[in-house]
Amino acid sequence: MSGRAALRVGDQVRLDERLHTVVGLSGTLVRLADEAGRASLVLLPHLLTAEGFEFLGQRDGSPVVAPFALLDTVPPLEAEKATAWEQHLLELESGRQSGIGAGAGPRPEYDPALHTLEERIAAKATELRALGWTVSTRTVERMRTRYRDQGV
């Protein structure tokens, strides 16, 4: 990896004669997606020492992979949870609920023009608790950071 200290989401590598994009990192696990969107999970030490491994650089543009490509690799209940979190986090950022027309304004408690990010995070934690989720403000902050860094 010639002078790089870390592998990052969005990096492209060649492995098993196929181009892959790093779409997730967790400890020593690396989640890869090939050009066809097929996801795989590999241990970092195995990846770095694999015959034919080649680091190709940072992928241009975003997103690094279609969300459904990764969601196909997890149990259905987990995929459902991830999709629900994504909808809530997108509302937290934009103020707009998923599936509502483009002309609809943000809900007042999530309007970025009226509330700071911290206020919107607190409102989202309160809303999720009212829906029966076991979350804190810190949980919402952590999930927001993960989503911004790694996507769904």
Side-chain angles (χ1 to χ4, degrees):
M1 290 188 6
S2 67
R4 286 182 50 105
L7 195 63
R8 296 183 299 223
V9 171
D11 285 345
Q12 290 189 318
V13 300
R14 186 169 310 285
L15 180 66
D16 297 330
E17 300 181 12
R18 292 193 324 240
L19 177 66
H20 296 268
T21 301
V22 176
V23 295
L25 298 165
S26 178
T28 61
L29 292 175
V30 180
R31 188 174 304 273
L32 301 171
D34 69 12
E35 292 176 296
R38 292 181 301 253
S40 58
L41 197 59
V42 64
L43 289 169
L44 181 60
H46 173 76
L47 176 67
L48 298 177
T49 59
E51 180 112 7
F53 168 77
E54 181 183 1
F55 174 74
L56 300 173
Q58 185 72 27
R59 178 181 173 148
D60 294 330
S62 178
V64 294
V65 70
F68 62 83
L70 290 178
L71 293 180
D72 287 345
T73 67
V74 299
L77 183 59
E78 294 304 313
E80 196 175 303
K81 286 180 187 177
T83 300
W85 265 111
E86 179 180 36
Q87 291 172 353
H88 285 289
L89 294 169
L90 290 173
E91 180 180 27
L92 176 68
E93 294 290 334
S94 69
R96 299 193 194 313
Q97 283 185 292
S98 177
I100 305 297
R107 292 199 293 168
E109 61 270 36
Y110 301 112
D111 188 342
L114 300 175
H115 296 285
T116 65
L117 177 60
E118 291 77 20
E119 291 170 333
R120 297 190 320 266
I121 288 172
K124 184 53 75 176
T126 299
E127 176 186 352
L128 293 174
R129 282 193 300 273
L131 292 172
W133 294 30
T134 305
V135 297
S136 65
T137 301
R138 179 66 191 123
T139 301
V140 175
E141 290 172 345
R142 189 179 71 250
M143 295 303 282
R144 177 182 171 269
T145 299
R146 285 183 180 171
Y147 181 74
R148 290 178 63 105
D149 291 347
Q150 300 176 8
V152 167

